[in-house]
């Protein structure tokens, strides 16, 4: 397939698609928008992934979702019927933990996010903490002056946080006044569709608020950062030229594929649409063009007809 051509696989001869698929040895799936929507599997996704795995291809799930431990992600997938184990699940929380572990990080990390982030950091023997259910019961100025800041904090990590609020913004931004404190984010996903004209807020919007206040640029350790699968690449377990990334979002999944040298398949069951593809194609900005997928299908289930 031509790189970044967004070839609709339903509109070319099946045999040509099958020949292309025969070169694929490993398949990486995004989770939300490809395999499931929140707490429901997407039609046909379970069967398609399981068929792909039964052909002997390596399968992995690489998600920017930071709210579940890898064992919880595996349990969720198994409950839906996916033939997946914990070792095949990679999340942005794991990516943050592996990054800090690789740096020999010995200080504390302040977490804006869910407990799973703390849990994954603990696996790398990294001390971290949340300040849950903190409310603004006084003027912001007084809150900031009275707030205790732990001098042992050496990193601020921002992930999707159901309880994101002004006190967390003030605390995170205050820690980041020290230029030696690392500013890390799980991902740049700003929103997720949950129904007609309904969206929920993603970690990217939370990262953006801290960035706007501090003027500091965060290091994003989820997709599209290749760090997420660095160990698989370095070990040779994944060969970029024979790896396919299946995702629903141009600025995370498809850019991730481009950054890693993978082949890419955009499915139309999540965030990005063919209209978004056309906008990227007509854009002169290089990074936008790098988001263009190689191939397209309306859903993962449409891949089944080429696997028989």
């Amino acid at each position: 397939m031509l790189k970044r051509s967004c070839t609709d696989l339903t509109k070319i001869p099946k045999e040509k698609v099958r020949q292309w698929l025969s070169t694929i040895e490993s398949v990486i799936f995004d989770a939300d928008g490809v395999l499931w929507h929140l707490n429901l599997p997407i039609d046909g996704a379970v069967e398609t992934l399981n068929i792909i795995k039964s052909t002997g291809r390596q399968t992995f799930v690489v998600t920017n979702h930071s709210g579940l431990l890898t064992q919880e992600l595996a349990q969720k997938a198994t409950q839906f019927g996916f033939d997946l184990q914990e070792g095949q699940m990679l999340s942005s929380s794991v990516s943050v933990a592996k990054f800090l572990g690789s740096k020999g990080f010995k200080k504390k990390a302040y977490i804006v996010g869910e407990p799973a982030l703390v849990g994954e950091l603990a696996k790398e023997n990294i001390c971290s903490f949340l300040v849950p259910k903190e409310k603004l019961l006084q003027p912001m100025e007084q809150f900031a002056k009275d707030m205790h800041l732990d001098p042992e904090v050496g990193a601020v990590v921002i992930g999707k946080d159901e309880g994101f609020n002004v006190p967390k913004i003030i605390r995170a931004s205050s820690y980041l006044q020290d230029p030696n404190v690392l500013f890390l984010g799980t991902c740049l996903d700003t929103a997720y569709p949950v129904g007609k004209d309904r969206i929920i807020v993603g970690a990217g919007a939370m990262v953006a608020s801290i960035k706007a206040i501090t003027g500091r640029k965060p290091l994003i350790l989820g997709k599209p950062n290749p760090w997420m699968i660095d160990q698989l690449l370095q070990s040779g377990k994944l060969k970029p030229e024979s790896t396919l990334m299946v995702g629903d979002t141009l600025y995370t999944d498809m850019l991730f594929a481009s950054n890693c040298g993978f082949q890419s398949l955009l499915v139309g069951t999540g965030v990005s649409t063919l209209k978004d593809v056309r906008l990227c194609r007509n854009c002169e900005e290089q990074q936008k063009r790098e988001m263009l997928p190689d191939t397209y299908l309306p859903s993962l289930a449409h891949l089944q007809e080429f696997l028989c």
Side-chain angles (χ1 to χ4, degrees):
M1 298 298 166
L2 294 175
K3 293 296 288 182
R4 302 182 185 132
S5 63
C6 195
T7 300
D8 188 333
L9 298 180
T10 65
K11 296 181 179 179
I12 61 175
K14 287 184 179 180
E15 191 54 39
K16 185 174 182 180
V17 179
R18 290 184 177 128
Q19 288 175 357
W20 169 64
L21 285 173
S22 71
T23 68
I24 301 299
E25 298 175 355
S26 305
V27 184
I28 297 174
F29 302 89
D30 179 36
D32 289 288
V34 175
L35 302 179
W36 56 71
H37 282 139
L38 298 178
N39 295 314
L40 289 173
I42 294 173
D43 288 346
V46 172
E47 296 81 2
T48 307
L49 183 145
N50 290 348
I51 290 171
I52 290 171
K53 188 174 182 183
S54 72
T55 65
R57 293 178 173 92
Q58 295 187 105
T59 53
F60 299 93
V61 174
V62 177
T63 174
N64 277 347
H65 185 64
S66 60
L68 295 174
L69 295 166
T70 50
Q71 57 262 44
E72 293 171 333
L73 280 168
Q75 288 168 5
K76 178 175 182 175
T78 301
Q79 287 169 359
F80 287 151
F82 293 102
D83 183 10
L84 291 165
Q85 288 76 46
E86 183 181 353
Q88 296 166 272
M89 315 298 287
L90 298 171
S91 72
S92 56
S93 294
V94 173
S95 188
V96 170
K98 295 292 185 185
F99 173 79
L100 289 175
S102 74
K103 298 298 182 184
F105 184 79
K106 300 300 182 185
K107 302 195 82 174
K108 295 180 182 178
Y110 168 57
I111 306 296
V112 175
E114 304 300 327
L117 258 171
V118 176
E120 293 296 352
L121 288 171
K123 293 179 185 179
E124 296 292 322
N125 297 314
I126 294 167
C127 180
S128 63
F129 67 95
L130 303 157
V131 182
K133 299 181 180 178
E134 191 169 35
K135 296 181 179 180
L136 191 66
L137 301 176
Q138 58 194 129
M140 282 193 289
E141 179 183 358
Q142 195 60 46
F143 174 85
K145 287 180 178 179
D146 293 345
M147 176 180 58
H148 171 71
L149 294 180
D150 188 335
E152 291 301 309
V153 166
V156 171
V157 183
I158 311 296
K160 181 174 175 290
D161 190 323
E162 294 280 347
F164 191 69
N165 59 12
V166 169
K168 292 182 180 182
I169 294 173
I170 293 173
R171 187 175 296 278
S173 300
S174 296
Y175 277 124
L176 289 169
Q177 296 307 299
D178 182 347
N180 294 315
V181 173
L182 300 173
F183 182 14
L184 308 178
T186 59
C187 68
L188 290 176
D189 297 84
T190 55
Y192 304 95
V194 293
K196 181 175 172 56
D197 300 326
R198 298 291 187 273
I199 59 172
I200 58 174
V201 182
M206 299 165 192
V207 170
S209 67
I210 310 299
K211 179 183 177 182
I213 292 168
T214 63
R216 292 186 55 178
K217 184 178 180 179
L219 174 61
I220 303 301
L221 289 162
K223 294 175 292 185
N225 192 335
W227 173 261
M228 282 199 81
I229 43 83
D230 183 69
Q231 291 182 343
L232 292 173
L233 290 172
Q234 294 300 325
S235 67
K237 195 165 187 178
L238 283 182
K239 298 175 183 177
E241 67 278 4
S242 61
T243 299
L244 175 66
M245 174 70 210
V246 184
D248 69 297
T249 307
L250 295 178
Y251 61 86
T252 55
D253 301 321
M254 298 301 103
L255 185 55
F256 177 68
S258 178
N259 289 343
C260 295
F262 298 156
Q263 300 189 61
S264 58
L265 168 63
L266 177 71
V267 294
T269 48
V271 174
S272 298
T273 65
L274 287 177
K275 179 181 178 181
D276 297 321
V277 172
R278 288 192 291 271
L279 290 172
C280 281
R281 184 175 282 147
N282 295 329
C283 183
E284 295 183 2
E285 186 180 338
Q286 181 60 28
Q287 189 179 52
K288 291 282 188 181
R289 298 186 67 82
E290 289 174 356
M291 296 178 189
L292 291 171
D294 301 335
T295 58
Y296 171 83
L297 281 173
S299 73
L300 181 60
H302 284 76
L303 199 60
Q304 281 190 49
E305 64 178 298
F306 307 112
L307 296 167
C308 302

